[in-house]
Amino acid sequence: MVNAVRKAIESQYKGICTITEYQSYKDPVTKRTSHKEVDVLFNQPCKLSFKSISSTGENDHVGTVEQVVKLFIAPEISIKAGSKITVTQNGKTNEYSQSGVPAFYTHHQEIILELFKGWS
């Protein structure tokens, strides 16, 4: 039963993602410590879900629309805070970063994402 449920959830995954970390390394020639992007996970099946939320502030009468992006991925995947998550789904590729603590479930986890704005 457990495998059937997970298989059903993962059958909805239409995307793949690559997880990239910004890691420090010591240059053997110059002995200087620098940083570089290191891909730590490749072509991991996943799914993006999009939700639009509209709101109006108290002092203005102009409505705003905000998009919430949620990543669905296997529960055993560990994504460090600050990682870049590159997702390709429906022929589109976007870079995101994790904006919240993952919600873990038995068969998957859900992570709220925001557009990647650069390494902090």
Side-chain angles (χ1 to χ4, degrees):
M1 175 83 165
V2 171
N3 290 335
V5 173
R6 181 162 177 174
K7 193 172 188 175
I9 291 170
E10 291 182 351
S11 73
Q12 299 297 309
Y13 291 179
K14 303 300 181 202
I16 56 168
C17 68
T18 298
I19 309 300
T20 306
E21 295 177 358
Y22 197 57
Q23 297 179 351
S24 63
Y25 74 99
K26 190 170 188 176
D27 187 304
V29 177
T30 65
K31 307 292 186 212
R32 290 184 183 194
T33 300
S34 191
H35 292 86
K36 64 181 177 180
E37 291 187 4
V38 177
D39 292 336
V40 295
L41 185 67
F42 304 90
N43 297 322
Q44 177 65 40
C46 64
K47 177 185 174 184
L48 286 179
S49 171
F50 301 92
K51 179 179 179 182
S52 294
I53 300 173
S54 56
S55 63
T56 306
E58 288 183 25
N59 296 329
D60 60 3
H61 299 286
V62 179
T64 59
V65 177
E66 182 178 322
Q67 186 177 58
V68 177
V69 181
K70 190 184 297 186
L71 176 72
F72 292 78
I73 196 164
E76 65 273 4
I77 303 299
S78 177
I79 302 174
K80 291 183 180 178
S83 295
K84 178 168 63 173
I85 304 163
T86 306
V87 181
T88 301
Q89 181 173 290
N90 299 326
K92 304 274 186 195
T93 301
N94 286 307
E95 295 178 337
Y96 300 96
S97 56
Q98 182 174 338
S99 68
V101 176
F104 286 96
Y105 300 95
T106 305
H107 307 293
H108 73 286
Q109 61 178 304
E110 299 175 11
I111 305 169
I112 302 297
L113 302 177
E114 60 186 26
L115 287 174
F116 183 75
K117 296 176 183 140
W119 298 105
S120 34

